């Protein structure tokens, strides 16, 4: 049987979704940053990827693995806008090149919540460098969750909280998606079982992932347990559909489009 080439995100927040998958023969698992997962899927170098949600509309057609996501309702803690000024006075934002969905989310929030029209520049996730060149910086993933100590005095805006404040809905950052024939129902069930097992082990996964930084273990486990949600249900779908509508209205994608799922 040919292994399914599965592209996962290497951040802490993805660990519950991939729990034990490296021991299952149907999957050949690799880890990358979110933007690279999208590039690999669009290029046909993986069969299914844990892709930024905005990328579902930029390739394909793709199908989505049902009821599996990286989402939040309110504070997400790992998608942050660090700013040297009041958000109303921000005129430039440096954007983490690791991200695609969060970049689109920044643009939606600037238009609909912050009511600003800043200049945007993509840069590597070096907070000091980004803030030396722009009024604010978008940082995602582990770099946002565990920022450098000198970032403590900088104002931080949690974009998950900002989205829920604007819409009253959860925000969906990523999900498993791939070619329509890439996953059979047993494959989908294997991904769902991995999630079901992984969400029960926040302390274990945080200890393993943050083995070299024991001072972060408790915060990492709290993040997995309280900030990140791993389901794609009615409210998450509603939030995702609204995000796609707003993104299309800003010209960030050509269409908003329906959600298509693998069979279970």
């Amino acid at each position: 049987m040919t292994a399914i080439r599965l592209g996962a995100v290497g951040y802490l927040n993805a660990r519950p979704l991939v729990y034990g998958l490296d021991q299952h023969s149907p999957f050949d698992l690799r880890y990358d940053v979110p933007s690279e997962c999208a590039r690999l899927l669009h290029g046909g170098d993986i069969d299914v990827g844990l892709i930024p949600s905005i990328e579902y509309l930029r390739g394909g057609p793709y199908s989505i693995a049902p009821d599996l996501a990286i989402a939040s309702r309110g504070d997400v803690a790992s998608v942050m806008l660090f700013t040297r000024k009041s958000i109303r006075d921000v005129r430039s934002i440096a954007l983490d090149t690791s991200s695609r969905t969060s970049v689109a989310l920044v643009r939606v929030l600037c238009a609909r919540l912050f009511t600003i029209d800043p200049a945007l520049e993509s840069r590597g996730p070096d907070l000091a460098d980004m803030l030396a060149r722009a009024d604010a910086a978008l940082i995602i993933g582990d770099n946002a969750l565990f920022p450098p100590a000198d970032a403590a005095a900088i104002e931080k805006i949690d974009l998950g909280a900002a989205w829920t404040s604007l819409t009253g809905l959860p925000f969906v950052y990523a999900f498993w998606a791939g070619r329509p024939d890439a996953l059979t129902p047993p494959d989908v069930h294997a991904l769902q079982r991995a999630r079901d097992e992984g969400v029960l082990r926040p302390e274990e996964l945080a200890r393993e992932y943050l083995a070299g930084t024991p001072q972060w273990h408790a915060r990492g486990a709290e993040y997995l347990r309280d900030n990140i949600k791993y389901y794609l249900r009615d409210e998450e779908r509603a939030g995702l559909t609204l995000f796609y509508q707003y993104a299309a209205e800003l010209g960030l994608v050509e269409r908003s489009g329906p959600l298509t799922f693998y069979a279970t």
Side-chain angles (χ1 to χ4, degrees):
M1 181 174 60
T2 303
I4 298 166
R5 298 171 300 170
L6 205 61
V9 174
Y11 298 145
L12 174 62
N13 60 19
R15 293 301 154 138
L17 289 180
V18 299
Y19 183 81
L21 289 183
D22 53 350
Q23 301 172 19
H24 289 272
S25 57
F27 302 115
D28 178 11
L29 188 62
R30 63 174 289 169
Y31 293 97
D32 295 285
V33 297
S35 57
E36 182 66 2
C37 284
R39 188 192 70 79
L40 291 168
L41 182 62
H42 295 334
D45 297 305
I46 56 177
D47 301 309
V48 175
L50 188 57
I51 62 169
S53 58
I54 196 71
E55 293 299 313
Y56 175 72
L57 300 178
R58 292 175 173 167
Y62 298 133
S63 293
I64 302 168
D67 197 28
L68 294 163
I70 293 176
S72 71
R73 186 186 185 98
D75 289 348
V76 63
S78 58
V79 181
M80 306 293 290
L81 197 62
F82 294 82
T83 175
R84 298 188 287 109
K85 299 181 177 181
S86 168
I87 190 62
R88 302 295 182 188
D89 298 324
V90 166
R91 298 294 177 263
S92 57
I93 301 177
L95 303 169
D96 190 335
T97 53
S98 306
S99 172
R100 295 191 181 177
T101 286
S102 299
V103 167
L105 178 58
V106 164
R107 295 183 66 175
V108 167
L109 292 172
C110 283
R112 290 190 164 267
L113 183 64
F114 306 143
T115 61
I116 58 175
D117 186 21
L120 304 176
E121 177 187 6
S122 296
R123 301 199 66 80
D126 181 323
L127 183 58
D129 176 67
M130 295 167 90
L131 288 177
R133 297 170 180 272
D135 295 335
L138 168 68
I139 299 283
I140 71 165
D142 301 341
N143 292 320
L145 184 61
F146 306 112
D150 58 3
I154 299 168
E155 182 180 354
K156 295 179 285 187
I157 299 173
D158 186 303
L159 296 192
W163 169 262
T164 300
S165 173
L166 174 66
T167 66
L169 293 167
F171 190 80
V172 177
Y173 303 90
F175 46 66
W176 293 115
R179 293 180 292 100
D181 61 347
L183 296 179
T184 65
D187 299 329
V188 171
H189 293 155
L191 293 175
Q192 292 174 340
R193 283 196 303 272
R195 184 271 317 279
D196 292 345
E197 292 291 326
V199 297
L200 298 176
R201 295 171 167 79
E203 289 80 11
E204 173 189 331
L205 293 176
R207 284 195 306 271
E208 290 177 357
Y209 185 84
L210 300 166
T213 50
Q215 70 274 20
W216 291 346
H217 287 181
R219 178 66 186 104
E222 178 188 42
Y223 168 70
L224 294 179
R225 184 175 56 249
D226 299 336
N227 293 109
I228 303 299
K229 312 303 177 187
Y230 293 97
Y231 303 89
L232 188 55
R233 295 178 177 167
D234 289 345
E235 284 208 326
E236 287 78 19
R237 292 188 192 190
L240 184 59
T241 300
L242 186 59
F243 173 54
Y244 287 164
Q245 176 189 323
Y246 289 167
E249 289 172 359
L250 290 173
L252 307 182
V253 291
E254 293 183 358
R255 55 190 172 86
S256 55
L259 304 178
T260 302
F261 294 88
Y262 289 108
T264 56

